[in-house]
Each structure stands twice: as C-alpha cells, then as structure tokens.
C-alpha cells in the first residue's frame, strides 16, 4: 500500500514536525526548490533532495547538481581538519600522572621504571624483588607521596612469612612431643591446658624461658623434682629433676642463656599461636614493608629478646615463659615512631593517636591476666621504640628535622646497649628483685592467691595468653604463662 505522503512532500514534512519545535519554518522546507546551478547547498533542505528523486550515500548524491556535491565535500573536509587540529592541541597539552592535590588516590608508585633505571643494576634487581632503591636514589618528593598514599618501600614481608612458617613448624614439634609423652598432642591431664597445647614440662624441655635452667636459683636447684613430660596423674606419680627437663646433666651448672631467644618461637597452645600469628601477619608484616627486612629483623629480635630479659629479672622465678608477644610489641612501637616522625603525612593523625593509645592500653591490661607475662610486652615495646628510632627510614624535608632525628638516633644507641647490659647482669645476681622491688607489680595484681605478688615459685609461659596447668606439691604451683 502506498504511503499517503508519497506524492505530497509538503504534507509529509509538516506532519513530522513536533509541536514543541520552536522556530521551525514549514514554508521554507516545503517550498524550497531542489538545488541547481547557482543555488548554494542548504543543509536544512537535505531531506528534500531525495524526495525530488536524487539518490546516493552520505558522501554524494547522484543526480544532484555538481556544486551541491562539491560544497558537501568541502564541508566534510572542514570538519576533518577541525577535528585533527583539536587532537593535535590536546596532545601538546602538559600531562601529569600525580594526584598530590587529592586527598584520596589509587596507591600506585610514581616513576617506578625511571627510578629503577637511575639506580642502576642494583635498583633494577631491587625493583624486581619489590624493594625500593637506596634512600640516596629515592627522590624526596616521591617518598613523601608514597608515605601519604600508604605505599611501603618493600612490596612483600619476606621475613614475617619465614618467621610464621618457622613458628608453625615449631608448634607442630611441640604437639608431636606431647603426643609421644602423654599419648595426646594436647595436654588435658593432670589439668587441661586451656590454650589447647602441650604441658609445661614439654615447653621447658623445648626451650621455654625458665630461670632454673639458666642460672642457679636458690628456691629451684637443679635437683628439684618436677613432673615428667609423660606424667598425667594429680598428684604426679612420675617425677624428674629440673636438670633432666632442662636437658643437661645433674652435675652441670645451669647456664642455658639461649632461653632468652628460643621462647620467641614457642607457643603455649593453638589459641595462643593463632592470636600471635594474626597480629604478626597484619601489624608486623606492614612494619617490615615500611622498614625493610634488615631493620625489621633487628627490631623484631631486639624487642623479643629484651622482653625475655626484663621478664627474667622481675617475673615469678618458677614460671616458664613462651611466645612472640614481646617481639610483636616491638613492631607495635615502630608505628608510634612513624606517627610522630611523619605526623603531617598521616591522614587524621590525632584520631590515629587515640586509637593507638587505646590499643596499647588494652595490650598492657591483658598483661595483668593471670599467667600472662606483661614484662615481655613492656620490654618489647620499650626496645622497639629505641630500635625504630635508629632504623626506621624517617623522611626529613629540612636540615633541622634531619639533625633532630640524628640526635635521637645517637642517643638511642647507648640507651639500648646500657639497658641490655644492666638487666642481663642483674638477672645473674642472686636476687634480681632487689634492683626494683616495685617492678613486680607491672605484671601482677596483688591478691592473697599470689601472696601479693611476692611469691616466686610457680611455673608459667609468657607471650600473650594464659594456660593454667597447675597442680600443688609441697607448695610449688606448676602453671604456664604466655606473652
């Protein structure tokens, strides 16, 4: 069926017009004659050319007058030349990949490839390993931008991963030893280990911090009888001298100084190791990426060892101590140094300070729970502050700031050495408590059950949590504390 508008273009165009098209002139469209010689092409009348019998594509219309096609082609060339000019101007405009004026931006390194190239072969190798070039070849402005965006100088926490794997391996060894001795990897007899781990005797044998194995203790001579690792009765029916649990002969003098170090790798139970590894894989891993593995290694072990030194001086003498909390608290101290040294680079630093204060207060409060060694927490934190001051890569924009930081570093080195020397010497005296009578209250809430923090014959494990494996025998309370 033919369209009613086929023979009447005027009616067709007027019908297509919308009532809201203001300024539409129906007469111009309906009465305009087709273009011809001498008549310039009018874009408004394009639709009428095909209505008058012309045909063709968007470039040319066959049958249309020559000057119409020429003008149409000229208009197309003009459009293309204008587009090309705009593209050329855009390509010449300066561009920047930095977003330093934005408060939030995607954390991506600036000029990564260029920096690595300028650092030479060593810088290229470090870039492949996810490390930043040496600070001398790490531009100051880039360091500032990376700090604001939270971009660490190292991509992967290799050392934290290795330590976590080692600690899990050691914990499996603990469970295997307890299974061999008691028939179960978890100790439930004579009383259960609420941390779900081995007995205190097994922890002593594996290297827990236990002063009686490290020096001569009047209250706990090496001939003192304690439950053997395979004992499951209460009261114990299988007893062994301390020298056997410690792993040296009965006639040897106790001098196992390595027990300041080995407790870092031991844990009292499944709950204990899960809590510590969660903190280590989050907090400590971030600190390693910011410090670099070298400085982190020194800070981690300096904090862990000093926590055991401080605990060895002032904790209850008969308490074996295990765990990595002292080392983890050392890495927590690094965040405090970072906050104060880079205050203006942190987002809302005052609020961050409040959260960190609450976090630290909770950590110290946990240290007052029975069988938790708060000295490991406090000692690790103190040594972490000193090591972070020395090794943390602080950004100094001015010479004055740089001199202040170097002053703190120079002062921190002798303080750390003096603390180590003084407390180790005090540990090997007959009565370490005499050096600080009130220090015991930093990890003990005085009650009648603990003889108001004056008793010092009981066994426990430090670093984080508590595990009560106690039984009573001639006044000796046998427990395990964590830190």
């Amino acid at each position: 069926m033919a369209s009613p508008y086929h023979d009447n273009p005027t009616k067709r165009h007027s019908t297509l017009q919308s009532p809201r098209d203001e300024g539409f002139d129906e007469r111009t469209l309906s009465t305009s004659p087709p273009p011809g010689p001498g008549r310039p092409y009018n874009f408004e009348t394009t639709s009428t050319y095909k209505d008058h019998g012309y045909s063709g594509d968007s470039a040319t219309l066959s049958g249309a007058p020559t000057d119409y096609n020429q003008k149409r082609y000229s208009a197309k060339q003009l459009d293309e030349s204008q587009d090309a000019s705009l593209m050329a101007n855009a390509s010449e405009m300066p561009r920047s990949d930095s977003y330093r004026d934005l408060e939030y931006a995607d954390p991506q390194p600036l000029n990564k490839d260029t920096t690595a190239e300028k650092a030479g072969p060593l810088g290229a190798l470090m870039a492949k390993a996810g490390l930043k070039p040496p600070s001398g070849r790490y531009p100051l402005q880039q360091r500032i931008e990376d700090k604001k965006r939270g971009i660490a100088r190292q991509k992967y926490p290799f050392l934290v991963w290795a330590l976590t794997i080692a600690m899990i391996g050691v914990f499996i060894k603990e469970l295997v030893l307890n299974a061999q001795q008691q028939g179960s990897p978890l100790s439930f007899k004579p009383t259960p280990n609420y941390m779900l781990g081995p007995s205190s005797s097994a922890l002593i044998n594996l290297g827990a911090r236990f002063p009686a194995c490290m020096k001569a203790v009047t209250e706990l001579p090496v001939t003192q009888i304690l439950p053997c690792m395979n004992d499951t009765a209460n009261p114990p029916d299988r007893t062994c001298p301390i020298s056997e649990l410690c792993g040296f002969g009965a006639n040897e003098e106790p001098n196992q100084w390595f027990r300041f170090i080995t407790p870092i790798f031991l844990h009292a139970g499944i709950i204990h190791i899960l809590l510590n590894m969660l903190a280590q894989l989050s907090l400590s891993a971030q600190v390693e990426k910011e410090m670099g593995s070298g400085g982190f290694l020194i800070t981690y072990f300096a904090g862990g060892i000093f926590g055991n030194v401080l605990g060895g001086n002032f904790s209850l003498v008969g308490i074996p101590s295990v765990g990595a909390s002292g080392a983890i608290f050392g890495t927590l101290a690094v965040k405090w140094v970072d906050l104060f040294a880079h205050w203006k680079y942190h987002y809302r630093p005052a609020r961050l300070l409040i959260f960190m204060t609450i976090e630290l207060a909770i950590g110290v409060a946990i240290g007052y729970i029975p069988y938790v060694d708060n000295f490991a927490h406090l000692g690790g934190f103190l040594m972490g502050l000193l090591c972070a001051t020395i090794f943390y890569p602080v950004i100094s924009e001015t010479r004055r700031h740089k001199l202040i930081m170097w002053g703190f570093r120079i002062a921190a080195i002798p303080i750390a050495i003096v603390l180590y020397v003084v407390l180790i010497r005090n540990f090997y005296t007959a009565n370490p408590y005499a050096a600080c009578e009130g220090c015991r209250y930093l990890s003990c809430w005085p009650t009648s059950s603990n003889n108001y923090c004056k008793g010092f014959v009981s066994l426990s494990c430090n670093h984080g949590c508590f595990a009560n494996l106690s039984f009573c025998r001639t006044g000796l309370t046998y427990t395990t504390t964590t830190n």
Side-chain angles (χ1 to χ4, degrees):
M1 179 178 180
S3 171
Y5 308 116
H6 180 71
D7 298 326
N8 192 344
T10 303
K11 185 176 181 181
R12 175 173 177 259
H13 286 291
S14 62
T15 305
L16 293 175
Q17 179 186 6
S18 171
R20 289 172 293 183
D21 290 339
E22 299 179 1
F24 183 84
D25 192 346
E26 181 182 352
R27 293 174 299 173
T28 303
L29 179 61
S30 61
T31 59
S32 299
R39 296 191 186 97
Y41 165 69
N42 187 347
F43 284 98
E44 296 179 359
T45 61
T46 303
S47 60
T48 65
Y49 298 148
K50 293 186 179 182
D51 295 334
H52 285 279
Y54 302 122
S55 62
D57 55 17
S58 60
T60 61
L61 295 174
S62 60
T66 303
D67 62 341
Y68 161 71
N69 282 327
Q70 289 176 345
K71 292 181 179 296
R72 182 177 177 84
Y73 180 73
S74 300
K76 181 180 179 181
Q77 283 185 321
L78 178 61
D79 290 341
E80 292 178 350
S81 63
Q82 290 176 343
D83 290 344
S85 176
L86 290 174
M87 293 172 64
N89 291 336
S91 64
E92 293 174 359
M93 292 178 64
R95 302 167 106 183
S96 175
D97 293 331
S98 66
Y99 299 89
R100 62 190 63 181
D101 295 330
L102 297 181
E103 189 172 16
Y104 298 97
D106 293 333
Q108 52 184 348
L110 300 174
N111 304 326
K112 182 178 179 181
D113 296 334
T114 305
T115 305
E117 292 175 1
K118 290 181 179 179
L122 177 61
L125 181 61
M126 294 176 66
K128 290 180 180 179
L131 306 173
K132 293 292 185 183
S135 58
R137 298 178 181 178
Y138 189 5
L140 176 62
Q141 288 304 317
Q142 182 176 338
R143 292 180 66 194
I144 294 174
E145 293 302 321
D146 286 351
K147 172 58 68 175
K148 289 180 178 179
R149 299 177 189 177
I151 301 175
R153 62 183 301 187
Q154 183 171 312
K155 190 174 183 181
Y156 302 110
F158 299 109
L159 189 58
V160 166
W161 292 347
L163 288 169
T164 302
I165 294 172
M167 290 174 184
I168 293 174
V170 171
F171 184 68
I172 294 174
K173 169 64 177 176
E174 295 176 29
L175 299 181
V176 170
L177 176 63
N178 203 77
Q180 292 172 345
Q181 297 294 330
Q182 294 188 349
S184 170
L186 307 180
S187 180
F188 295 104
K189 297 178 180 179
T191 56
N193 177 351
Y194 297 112
M195 287 291 102
L196 303 178
S199 66
S200 291
S201 296
L203 292 172
I204 292 174
N205 183 259
L206 288 169
R209 189 197 76 209
F210 190 48
C213 297
M214 306 169 70
K215 67 171 186 174
V217 178
T218 305
E219 296 80 7
L220 286 175
V222 294
T223 56
Q224 172 73 46
I225 299 299
L226 296 179
C228 293
M229 289 186 288
N230 59 356
D231 176 69
T232 57
N234 189 8
D237 56 3
R238 300 173 184 176
T239 58
C240 303
I242 288 178
S243 59
E244 183 176 334
L245 290 179
C246 296
F248 53 80
N251 297 324
E252 296 182 24
E253 287 293 326
N255 188 25
Q256 295 181 342
W257 56 267
F258 58 82
R259 290 178 181 267
F260 285 132
I261 304 172
T262 52
I264 298 174
F265 294 90
L266 298 170
H267 288 84
I270 295 175
I271 297 176
H272 186 201
I273 193 172
L274 285 178
L275 292 175
N276 274 355
M277 293 305 98
L278 177 63
Q280 183 162 286
L281 290 172
S282 55
L283 170 65
S284 300
Q286 180 60 30
V287 170
E288 181 187 355
K289 291 192 289 184
E290 293 179 2
M291 290 187 73
S293 295
F296 174 82
L297 176 66
I298 298 174
T299 303
Y300 185 89
F301 281 100
I305 295 171
F306 187 75
N308 284 320
V309 170
L310 188 63
N313 275 268
F314 304 114
S315 292
L316 298 181
V317 174
I319 300 181
S321 176
V322 296
S325 294
I328 294 172
F329 265 73
T331 61
L332 173 64
V334 176
K335 302 298 292 183
W336 282 75
V337 173
D338 172 39
L339 176 63
F340 286 108
H342 301 131
W343 183 270
K344 64 180 180 180
Y345 303 140
H346 285 281
Y347 176 66
R348 295 186 178 179
R351 187 174 70 171
L352 182 60
L353 176 61
I354 294 174
F355 287 148
M356 290 175 61
T357 302
I358 295 173
E359 179 183 45
L360 179 61
I362 292 174
V364 174
I366 290 175
Y368 282 91
I369 296 176
Y371 314 117
V372 179
D373 187 0
N374 208 23
F375 288 108
H377 299 175
L378 298 174
F381 187 81
L382 174 59
M383 190 54 58
L385 288 175
L386 296 173
C387 290
T389 302
I390 299 169
F391 296 107
Y392 194 84
V394 175
I395 300 173
S396 297
E397 290 189 79
T398 64
R399 179 177 177 83
R400 179 175 177 272
H401 187 271
K402 183 179 293 186
L403 291 175
I404 292 174
M405 281 309 306
W406 273 106
F408 278 117
R409 290 188 180 108
I410 294 172
I413 294 173
I415 292 175
I417 295 174
V418 168
L419 284 174
Y420 259 106
V421 171
V422 169
L423 287 175
I424 289 176
R425 287 174 59 89
N426 187 68
F427 171 77
Y428 285 104
T429 61
N431 183 17
Y433 291 105
C436 182
E437 290 291 341
C439 287
R440 67 184 71 196
Y441 300 110
L442 293 176
S443 185
C444 176
W445 190 262
T447 63
S448 57
S449 61
N450 58 27
N451 194 24
Y452 301 98
C453 300
K454 293 181 180 179
F456 50 110
V457 178
S458 66
L459 304 173
S460 73
C461 328
N462 78 35
H463 285 14
C465 311
F466 50 89
N468 184 354
L469 315 176
S470 65
F471 73 91
C472 294
R473 179 180 178 275
T474 63
L476 176 65
T477 302
Y478 191 54
T479 59
T480 302
T481 61
T482 64
N483 67 46

